[in-house]
Amino acid sequence: MEKVLTVTIPSYNVEKYLNQTLDSFLDERILDDIEVLVVDDGSKDNTAQIGKEYEEKYPQTFRVISKENGGHGSTINRGIEEARGAYFKVVDGDDWVNMEDFVRMVQALKSCTAEYVVTNYNEVNDTTGELTPVEFREFAGREVWDFEEACKIRQMSMHALVIRTSVLKENHIRLDEHCFYVDVEYILFPVPYVKTVQYLDLTVYMYRLAVMTQSVSIQGYQRHMQNHIDVIMHLTEFYESMKQSCSPEKVEYIGKRTAQMIGDQITIFMSFPVDDMEIRKKFITFDRELKNKSADIYERAGMESGSLRMFRRLHFKGYTWVARFCKKRNRIGED
């Protein structure tokens, strides 16, 4: 029997969190409607064993897929390959779902036809437990939106998205492997094939924050900076490849989100000490490569980041002074 929803759980050394993650799907009302794929990405701890316990107890719902380590993108790629549900959602192995609204979402998906389904989510401070709602109520005005209209209103984040599985499978959507920061690829690569968006006013995803080892901490960004740059360049190439075949609204959406990621990259550069000449060299090389790949994205990036505009205007001369000014103005770390 086809499932309503496939949930892929990218899992690498998450034994500390995985029970909470998997318990959040255990509701008898929807166990037959969902499949939960625990994609063990070569974990060195008990991640796979924990997943197997759920698979043995609920074989109609849970399945463990163990593979060699390939990074977050590889686990999602494998989930797409294995998925049997009409819809597809990613829930990381250290996050979880709000069970009541998740159940309501699964029930609603039975009658959905949109390629993108958007729900609200909570950011959860891992230290204090404080919840910060991230809501998409701008979409509450109608049941189904044409994507070209919806994309003018709000950028849609990964934790909010449920995607029709056929869009991912039939268009061979694949993310970069052995690489961090592929979330934006997951959001944007399906865009050329998305016609409609449906909003469900439910808070489903619970996103754990304030874990210092996360790739999205500033220390993580610094360690994995080249991954971040690689994804930006791949998205820039994707933008260029879609300019002629996509609607102007979709081109704008892809370009804007890519430029936002470039703005984040400028913040990463600025998080390093201002006298780090190796970072200065990488920054200049990055900007030159961006210009060579896409004049459009190069221009959009300058519109997105005031710091980048300043560096360009001065041709990266006086780098230390400009970097110090930008760090202070944007309150980015300390030397």
Side-chain angles (χ1 to χ4, degrees), residues 2 34 37 41 54 64 70 75 87 89 97 101 105 109 118 121 166 169 178 229 232 236 245 278 297 299 315 322:
E2 186 186 62
I34 67 172
L37 307 180
D41 194 33
Y54 288 79
V64 177
T75 62
Y87 281 93
K89 186 167 184 62
V97 297
D101 276 5
M105 182 188 76
L109 288 175
V118 175
Y121 63 94
S166 59
K169 284 181 174 287
H178 299 284
I229 291 172
I232 288 170
T236 299
S245 58
E278 187 63 30
I297 294 297
E299 182 178 353
H315 305 288
V322 177

Side-chain angles (χ1 to χ4, degrees), residues 147-163:
F147 183 86
E148 278 79 359
E149 295 178 277
C151 71
K152 296 176 184 176
I153 296 172
R154 180 82 181 270
Q155 290 277 337
M156 293 160 247
S157 58
M158 185 173 185
H159 302 313
L161 275 183
V162 181
I163 303 177

Side-chain angles (χ1 to χ4, degrees), residues 312-323:
R312 286 175 177 173
R313 192 160 54 242
L314 297 173
H315 305 288
F316 288 90
K317 295 178 180 177
Y319 178 89
T320 301
W321 180 87
V322 177

Side-chain angles (χ1 to χ4, degrees), residues 126-194:
D126 193 49
T127 302
T128 66
E130 180 183 2
L131 301 180
T132 303
V134 180
E135 299 176 335
F136 295 80
R137 294 208 167 98
E138 299 95 327
F139 296 131
R142 66 182 74 169
E143 184 176 358
V144 178
W145 294 78
D146 289 337
F147 183 86
E148 278 79 359
E149 295 178 277
C151 71
K152 296 176 184 176
I153 296 172
R154 180 82 181 270
Q155 290 277 337
M156 293 160 247
S157 58
M158 185 173 185
H159 302 313
L161 275 183
V162 181
I163 303 177
R164 183 164 283 279
T165 306
S166 59
V167 170
L168 301 171
K169 284 181 174 287
E170 293 172 7
N171 298 292
H172 310 290
I173 303 300
R174 287 188 64 82
L175 311 184
D176 285 333
E177 302 196 355
H178 299 284
C179 190
F180 292 90
Y181 314 116
V182 297
D183 291 13
V184 182
E185 294 182 346
Y186 180 78
I187 296 165
L188 295 185
F189 283 175
V191 162
Y193 318 104
V194 176

Side-chain angles (χ1 to χ4, degrees), residues 44-104:
K44 306 301 183 185
D45 63 2
N46 292 317
T47 291
Q49 295 90 316
I50 293 170
K52 285 289 185 183
E53 293 172 7
Y54 288 79
E55 181 180 63
E56 290 170 4
K57 192 169 183 180
Y58 306 97
Q60 80 280 18
T61 303
F62 292 91
R63 184 151 53 103
V64 177
I65 301 167
S66 290
K67 54 180 283 301
E68 291 184 4
N69 183 264
H72 196 247
S74 75
T75 62
I76 297 173
N77 291 339
R78 184 65 177 272
I80 293 170
E81 292 171 10
E82 301 273 352
R84 297 175 295 189
Y87 281 93
F88 186 90
K89 186 167 184 62
V90 178
V91 177
D92 286 336
D94 53 357
D95 297 329
W96 69 102
V97 297
N98 170 19
M99 184 184 290
E100 281 303 316
D101 276 5
F102 179 77
V103 169
R104 293 187 184 99

